[in-house]
Amino acid sequence: AQRVTQVQPTGSSQWGEEVTLDCSYETSEYFYRIFWYRQLFSGEMVFLIYQPSFDTQNQRSGRYSVVFQKSFKSISLVISASQPEDSGTYFCALSELISGTYQRFGTGTKLQVVP
Amino acid sequence: EAAVTQSPRNKVAVTGGKVTLSCNQTNNHNNMYWYRQDTGHGLRLIHYSYGAGSTEKGDIPDGYKASRPSQENFSLILELATPSQTSVYFCASGEAGTYEQYFGPGTRLTVL
């Protein structure tokens, strides 16, 4: 069964716009984290930001932030002032403390930012 | 300087042949992971390890074996490769007790 779902297979944005990418997940654990990665066209996975389950504050890192709706088991990645170099495929991943440190990934959202 | 490296970066194998994918990390992390990435599936966990000498099955271990001979090295072995194992394989490492993982560049495997 899919534990992490990204329902948007593709997305687009114009330069300077704010972009929101959605992710939902299934877990019965109290302690977990949600990670966001961007995969470059080269295949390299780049870590962007993570949200711990116990933190009610939405995390921010540079132009990246998240909107964490714990009760809905939903999290969105927000990219402010998008740029063409933000193009790539974005993955969210769930890591549950009880299952160790491995991560379960969604299927990704391919984002294109056009000038 | 890359902390997680994979070799080979590209591999073409024949059906029924044996394939070994290697991963080396200089992070001194206890945990290492093998994923495969296919269109429509994202990354899926094949095997992982908590340290030298240990291997554990992930979500899709069938057809794969793993070996962790040292802290730094973690191999994925396909004893009898099949075309369904054509994919991009990623290795990652992570510190025990934390959640973060650091990925290698990936290996593109084609089984003909």
Side-chain angles (χ1 to χ4, degrees):
Chain A
Q2 186 68 29
R3 302 286 297 277
V4 181
T5 303
Q6 293 178 256
V7 295
Q8 308 155 289
T10 60
S12 65
S13 170
Q14 288 201 312
W15 200 338
E17 287 184 343
E18 181 177 274
V19 177
T20 300
L21 305 177
D22 300 321
C23 174
S24 60
Y25 55 92
E26 299 172 20
T27 183
S28 57
E29 298 304 316
Y30 182 79
F31 291 110
Y32 59 89
R33 290 185 184 187
I34 303 293
F35 292 80
W36 281 96
Y37 296 87
R38 178 164 67 100
Q39 186 171 39
L40 308 181
F41 293 118
S42 66
E44 180 184 356
M45 295 286 284
V46 178
F47 164 74
L48 299 176
I49 193 170
Y50 76 87
Q51 174 73 45
S53 61
F54 55 82
D55 194 340
T56 58
Q57 187 171 3
N58 292 326
Q59 300 301 299
R60 299 186 66 89
S61 177
R63 292 188 297 111
Y64 302 106
S65 62
V66 299
V67 177
F68 182 44
Q69 298 181 292
K70 185 175 181 178
S71 59
F72 293 105
K73 292 189 170 60
S74 167
I75 186 167
S76 298
L77 175 71
V78 180
I79 308 172
S80 63
S82 61
Q83 303 165 8
E85 50 264 40
D86 292 327
S87 298
T89 302
Y90 289 78
F91 292 94
C92 63
L94 166 68
S95 183
E96 299 164 307
L97 179 61
I98 193 168
S99 60
T101 59
Y102 63 78
Q103 299 178 9
R104 289 197 169 93
F105 285 75
T107 51
T109 298
K110 188 173 184 178
L111 175 68
Q112 184 174 18
V113 180
V114 297
Chain B
E1 182 177 339
V4 181
T5 56
Q6 296 181 227
S7 63
R9 294 294 313 279
N10 290 280
K11 173 75 176 178
V12 178
V14 295
T15 298
K18 181 177 181 178
V19 177
T20 300
L21 306 182
S22 299
C23 178
N24 177 275
Q25 56 106 354
T26 58
N27 298 320
N28 198 33
H29 288 158
N30 290 326
N31 300 342
M32 296 185 74
Y33 312 87
W34 276 108
Y35 295 89
R36 63 178 282 177
Q37 182 177 23
D38 305 286
T39 303
H41 288 281
L43 278 77
R44 293 180 290 173
L45 182 69
I46 306 170
H47 284 287
Y48 60 102
S49 168
Y50 291 129
S54 94
T55 61
E56 305 289 337
K57 293 181 179 180
D59 293 331
I60 53 164
D62 293 345
Y64 302 93
K65 293 170 68 175
S67 173
R68 182 86 183 271
S70 65
Q71 178 84 339
E72 297 79 19
N73 295 295
F74 190 36
S75 297
L76 186 68
I77 303 154
L78 291 66
E79 294 279 4
L80 295 170
T82 68
S84 64
Q85 294 175 312
T86 293
S87 187
V88 179
Y89 292 85
F90 286 93
C91 175
S93 73
E95 183 59 50
T98 70
Y99 295 78
E100 288 82 5
Q101 294 187 11
Y102 300 85
F103 285 84
T107 293
R108 184 173 296 275
L109 173 66
T110 302
V111 183
L112 302 175

